[in-house]
Amino acid sequence: MSAGGLRELKKNRTRQLIADTANALFRARGFDEVTVDEIAAAAQVSKKTVFNHFPTKEDLVFYRAENREAMSLAAVTDRPAGVSILDSFRALCLAQTRFVAGMRRDLVHPRSFFDLVSGNPSLERKMHEVNERITRVLADALAAEAGAEPGDPLPRIVASTLVGAQRALYRRLRQRVREGGPDEEIERAHRADVERVFDLLGKGLGGYPPG
């Protein structure tokens, strides 16, 4: 591996270590009760290193946001030829079932991700920012593919609909996991939800972008 590759690997490992350490502390004690100094000490890095990887304390909770944005954007820009954006997002939402095992582990903790965010103003604002950014990035990609005129509201409307569907389906899947039951039943019900939602959306958005 090249020197640059080793540096990138070390950087990614450090970032993951900081995120894992922070979230373990947040779950044990709560977001507001943990300081960045404590996170740095527990991860055995400097406070400056923490902020080099995560500009704000809230970013430590949303450290997977970049991956979600990348997957959502790829559903638009990297989809196979002949596959509509709607069907690409349908596949992305069907694949949410791969998170079931992680959801089960998450729900065992006294403070899951959603427990941390719910009712915490700064984290709720950050979640809004994350969703707003993903919607904006998707809208830009849709506008570019459609050759939309500046100010055309349609790319934004379509992007908001897709992000909203993705989030709502994920929340429903998580609710089913919380309620219990065999994985096979949960996954079957989720697939039915996804198909129902995207079949309905297809009646209005199936031809966008045109061509």
Side-chain angles (χ1 to χ4, degrees), residues 49 67 85 95 97 121 123 192 207:
T49 298
N67 293 338
I85 286 173
T97 54
L123 292 178

Side-chain angles (χ1 to χ4, degrees), residues 100 103-104 107 173-180 186:
V100 167
M103 289 176 179
R104 289 196 189 281
L107 289 169
L173 176 61
R174 188 172 181 276
Q175 181 184 351
R176 284 199 168 97
V177 172
R178 183 186 290 276
E179 291 168 354
I186 291 171

Side-chain angles (χ1 to χ4, degrees), residues 102-119:
M103 289 176 179
R104 289 196 189 281
R105 291 193 298 271
D106 188 57
L107 289 169
V108 170
H109 292 281
R111 296 181 181 90
S112 70
F113 169 81
F114 289 99
D115 293 331
L116 284 172
V117 174
S118 179

Side-chain angles (χ1 to χ4, degrees), residues 18-130:
I18 294 169
D20 289 344
T21 301
N23 280 277
L25 290 171
F26 294 152
R27 292 184 178 209
R29 293 164 47 198
F31 178 77
D32 292 327
E33 284 66 36
V34 178
T35 67
V36 175
D37 286 320
E38 290 174 311
I39 293 166
Q44 297 184 324
V45 298
S46 68
K47 185 176 181 179
K48 180 181 178 181
T49 298
V50 174
F51 283 123
N52 284 342
H53 287 275
F54 300 95
T56 69
K57 183 182 171 185
E58 288 76 13
D59 286 313
L60 287 158
V61 176
F62 291 88
Y63 70 99
R64 293 191 180 98
E66 290 180 3
N67 293 338
R68 181 182 160 215
E69 179 182 323
M71 287 190 296
S72 299
L73 182 60
V76 174
T77 59
D78 298 343
R79 69 190 195 277
V83 175
S84 72
I85 286 173
L86 208 61
D87 281 340
S88 187
F89 259 81
R90 182 196 300 260
L92 186 65
C93 290
L94 285 170
Q96 289 175 334
T97 54
R98 71 186 185 277
F99 299 122
V100 167
M103 289 176 179
R104 289 196 189 281
R105 291 193 298 271
D106 188 57
L107 289 169
V108 170
H109 292 281
R111 296 181 181 90
S112 70
F113 169 81
F114 289 99
D115 293 331
L116 284 172
V117 174
S118 179
N120 186 297
S122 66
L123 292 178
E124 288 180 341
R125 283 194 299 272
K126 186 65 182 180
M127 177 173 275
H128 176 76
E129 290 173 12
V130 167

